[in-house]
Amino acid sequence: GNSVTQMEGPVTLSEEAFLTINCTYTATGYPSLFWYVQYPGEGLQLLLKATKADDKGSNKGFEATYRKETTSFHLEKGSVQVSDSAVYFCALTNTGGFKTIFGAGTRLFVKA
Amino acid sequence: DAGVIQSPRHEVTEMGQEVTLRCKPISGHNSLFWYRQTMMRGLELLIYFNNNVPIDDSGMPEDRFSAKMPNASFSTLKIQPSEPRDSAVYFCASTSVRTDTQYFGPGTRLTVL
């Protein structure tokens, strides 16, 4: 079956540090891959997505590249800010489907 | 667009009472999802609908939980009777065939005393 595995948190970084959150997936077919972000007290919202192999999704300085050969979609940001403190969810949706499989979430704390 | 609307935002009730959570999806979206989020269990999919029809309710914890979608613009999640272990944040999300992105509401924080 389809599944998403992401690194456990919490991740604690100082402001302007480099961020990587690892995500790997298992899926049949050709899924679309996503990163969602959840700020305190809010629902999840889309951060970025990629729909096919080698695509790079990017938004707000965050990037992730769809790597089919390693079944990975790692999230990166070159310089984090305090305002990036949130929970980050890796997710996939299979072709033609509407059900999204979410990872367990990784909590990020950024210190000033 | 107003986004996904959930009500109430907060609900405090006593054990044994009936609780009804409400959701209005984004206009034009034909799939709707109910999730539950807790610190211990993370984000769990409870049930989802496509074109108002329940497709998969395997995540509904037990018979005390029920969900309906009488039309394309409204869904309810009911817990009867409620128990303290039902305390969680309940999210509704919607999507459509034109996008594979889920749009989440702000959630309802339920506390059962």
Side-chain angles (χ1 to χ4, degrees):
Chain A
N2 298 333
S3 67
V4 175
T5 303
Q6 60 182 107
M7 63 188 286
E8 289 190 24
V11 174
T12 302
L13 296 173
S14 297
E15 207 165 23
E16 299 184 3
F18 184 85
L19 168 71
T20 299
I21 301 178
N22 291 336
C23 171
T24 57
Y25 68 91
T26 301
T28 55
Y30 303 94
S32 294
L33 302 177
F34 306 80
W35 279 99
Y36 285 80
V37 59
Q38 184 180 27
Y39 299 105
E42 299 182 9
L44 282 69
Q45 58 185 273
L46 178 68
L47 178 61
L48 55 84
K49 70 177 186 180
T51 57
K52 60 184 187 295
D54 300 325
D55 269 2
K56 177 185 285 187
S58 61
N59 186 25
K60 300 181 182 180
F62 291 89
E63 293 182 339
T65 301
Y66 190 142
R67 300 288 188 200
K68 191 167 177 64
E69 64 276 13
T70 54
T71 62
S72 64
F73 194 56
H74 304 321
L75 182 67
E76 296 182 337
K77 185 175 186 182
S79 176
V80 294
Q81 305 301 312
V82 172
S83 57
D84 293 327
S85 297
V87 181
Y88 293 82
F89 292 86
C90 186
L92 70 84
T93 301
N94 233 329
T95 307
F98 35 73
K99 180 179 174 180
T100 298
I101 307 299
F102 288 91
T106 302
R107 185 174 296 275
L108 170 66
F109 292 105
V110 181
K111 303 180 296 183
Chain B
D1 197 325
V4 175
I5 298 172
Q6 293 187 245
S7 65
R9 293 294 311 276
H10 302 274
E11 176 81 28
V12 180
T13 191
E14 293 190 346
M15 183 174 62
Q17 297 299 304
E18 177 179 296
V19 175
T20 299
L21 311 182
R22 297 171 175 80
C23 175
K24 176 178 169 58
I26 291 173
S27 177
H29 283 190
N30 63 330
S31 296
L32 183 141
F33 305 78
W34 283 101
Y35 294 89
R36 179 173 67 177
Q37 187 177 42
T38 61
M39 289 295 293
M40 290 297 295
R41 300 174 68 92
L43 187 70
E44 302 173 277
L45 176 64
L46 300 178
I47 185 172
Y48 69 97
F49 297 83
N50 190 45
N51 293 325
N52 312 337
V53 176
I55 302 300
D56 183 355
D57 65 354
S58 59
M60 296 286 260
E62 48 198 275
D63 291 346
R64 298 185 297 106
F65 285 69
S66 63
K68 294 182 179 179
M69 192 165 186
N71 57 63
S73 59
F74 184 65
S75 178
T76 59
L77 178 67
K78 184 178 295 186
I79 308 172
Q80 166 63 13
S82 58
E83 297 183 2
R85 59 191 167 125
D86 302 329
S87 298
V89 180
Y90 291 81
F91 289 104
C92 175
S94 69
T95 188
S96 76
V97 294
R98 293 184 302 278
T99 175
D100 46 13
T101 299
Q102 292 205 2
Y103 293 83
F104 281 73
T108 295
R109 180 174 295 276
L110 173 65
T111 302
V112 183
L113 302 174

